[in-house]
Amino acid sequence: MIRAAVVGGSGYAGGEVLRIIAGHPEIDLVQVTSERLGGRPVASVHPPLRGRTDLRFSSREHLEPVDVVFAALGHGESSQTIEHLQAAAPVCIDLGADFRLRDAAGYPRWYGWTHPAPDLLRGAVYGLAELHRAEIPGAALIASGGCLATATILGLAPLACAGVLDAAIPLVVEAKVGSSAGGSQAGDATHHAHRSGEVRSYAPTGHRHTAEIVQELHLGGSAPDLAFSATAVEAVRGVLITAHAFLADDLDDRDLWDLYRSRYATEPFVRIVKSRTGLHRSPNPKLLSGTNYCDVSFDRDPHSRRVVVTAAIDNLVKGSAGQAVQACNIRHGFPETLGLEFGGLYPI
């Protein structure tokens, strides 16, 4: 069993890490920090932990030595305190954006700040196991991917990595996301009167997750460029991406099945959902609430070389905390699915 601390455990992502760890047979949670809620019982903020932990929030200034630190801080915070986090644990898993990009020049462009620890970026491993499983076991610093990026990458990886896309035509991706992606602190954009009943395009261009997608799918140059947009919808959890990809060659549906099956046949948390009949014929984030699954599908346009790819996840689990625990399992030699077996609820 390993000892773990969650730094910044008062928010939604931190709370999901706590929920998952509470049922994990090989992780002992010993500390949860919050600078805002110091001294309060953790279970008073995260109701799923009632009766499951007696821990209280403490300050990260007094971080105890552990085997792994999960950092669930705001973007730009973990890189400011990374030396302190790494002094407490040999493995740091960051749920924020601070170590996702390998090129420090991307941070001023996409996040509006200069990275304070650029030397650490090259050694950090992007935490998406489906792409970096071989690198995670030796990593000291693991960066969980963003939720919109995770769904997009998993949806498009079979096509991008096989080199079958037309480089002359950009990938066009529209991502829809629930309100929990905005974090637990209330603001104008999450105020009920503003959010209820709404479908709002909040980042038609320039969304910061674009950088991760381009990096991980090796887009640009001899591969297609990316046109990415994000829309807020009236849901609490969930991401659904719809991607329009154009093929360089005239592949048929059977060829596409071969690409997706060969990529994901042995992946424990990626499922191809593509049925001809029934109500649930394609990925639906509602059905994935609380799970670490990503459901993907593809539809070949018979009138062009366009493939419409859809992918769905729970933004707080596969798009954040579940991805982090999955990487933690791999890093410490545990079964990859340990603590992540929940299959969802239906109806919900």
Side-chain angles (χ1 to χ4, degrees):
M1 180 170 283
I2 62 171
R3 289 161 50 88
V6 176
V7 174
S10 63
Y12 292 145
E16 282 296 275
V17 175
L18 297 173
R19 178 183 66 82
I20 294 168
I21 289 178
H24 197 295
E26 295 291 348
I27 302 179
D28 181 21
L29 179 68
V30 299
Q31 190 175 12
V32 185
T33 80
S34 170
E35 306 312 297
R36 184 171 54 90
L37 301 175
R40 286 187 57 180
V42 171
S44 70
V45 177
H46 300 299
L49 299 179
R50 289 172 180 164
R52 306 181 76 187
T53 182
D54 295 324
L55 288 174
R56 292 176 178 267
F57 292 108
S58 60
S59 171
R60 66 173 177 261
E61 184 179 329
H62 306 295
L63 197 57
E64 302 172 13
V66 289
D67 298 298
V68 58
V69 165
F70 293 90
L73 299 167
H75 298 320
E77 289 188 57
S78 61
S79 55
Q80 297 284 349
T81 189
I82 187 61
E83 290 185 6
H84 180 57
L85 301 180
Q86 291 189 314
V91 178
C92 179
I93 302 178
D94 186 20
L95 279 69
D98 292 35
F99 298 97
R100 293 174 186 166
L101 306 184
R102 299 189 188 96
D103 186 355
Y107 284 91
R109 178 182 178 186
W110 294 102
Y111 289 91
W113 43 268
T114 300
H115 202 286
D119 292 345
L120 295 179
L121 294 177
R122 285 290 172 183
V125 173
Y126 195 79
L128 195 56
E130 290 79 7
L131 269 67
H132 296 287
R133 185 174 284 107
E135 301 159 62
I136 291 173
L141 179 55
I142 298 170
S144 286
C147 58
L148 302 184
T150 294
T152 303
I153 292 164
L154 291 176
L156 291 171
L159 302 178
C161 295
V164 300
L165 297 173
D166 188 339
I169 305 177
L171 289 165
V172 178
V173 180
E174 159 65 21
K176 297 177 177 64
V177 63
S179 60
S180 60
S184 62
Q185 295 300 297
D188 288 344
T190 57
H191 183 53
H192 179 75
H194 295 167
R195 184 86 191 203
S196 181
E198 201 165 56
V199 180
R200 184 199 320 134
S201 180
Y202 71 93
T205 63
H207 194 285
R208 57 187 58 173
H209 288 188
T210 302
E212 295 173 52
I213 302 165
V214 169
Q215 171 184 281
E216 294 301 312
L217 295 182
H218 306 287
L219 301 178
S222 59
D225 290 325
L226 176 67
F228 185 85
S229 300
T231 300
V233 298
E234 189 181 16
V236 174
R237 290 176 183 249
V239 170
L240 176 68
I241 68 100
T242 303
H244 304 269
F246 290 83
L247 301 171
D249 298 310
D250 194 18
L251 304 181
D252 61 20
D253 200 63
R254 182 179 297 178
D255 296 323
L256 296 175
W257 267 108
D258 288 344
L259 287 176
Y260 276 82
R261 281 186 178 131
S262 65
R263 184 82 193 189
Y264 292 138
T266 60
E267 288 296 341
F269 292 116
V270 181
R271 306 181 295 196
I272 302 171
V273 178
K274 184 174 167 59
S275 301
R276 292 181 182 273
T277 60
L279 178 61
H280 306 295
R281 296 192 298 271
S282 60
N284 182 345
K286 181 179 180 180
L287 304 178
L288 301 177
S289 294
T291 82
N292 197 51
Y293 288 102
C294 176
D295 287 350
V296 300
S297 187
F298 54 87
D299 288 277
R300 178 72 162 82
D301 184 350
H303 306 293
S304 69
R305 289 185 176 177
R306 180 178 65 128
V307 179
V308 179
V309 175
T310 54
I313 61 172
D314 181 326
N315 56 293
L316 293 177
V317 188
K318 186 58 176 175
S320 186
Q323 183 181 152
V325 173
Q326 185 179 356
C328 180
N329 285 340
I330 296 169
R331 174 62 178 80
H332 293 93
F334 303 141
E336 189 170 330
T337 59
L338 203 60
L340 298 167
E341 298 92 345
F342 178 61
L345 299 173
Y346 178 79
I348 186 172

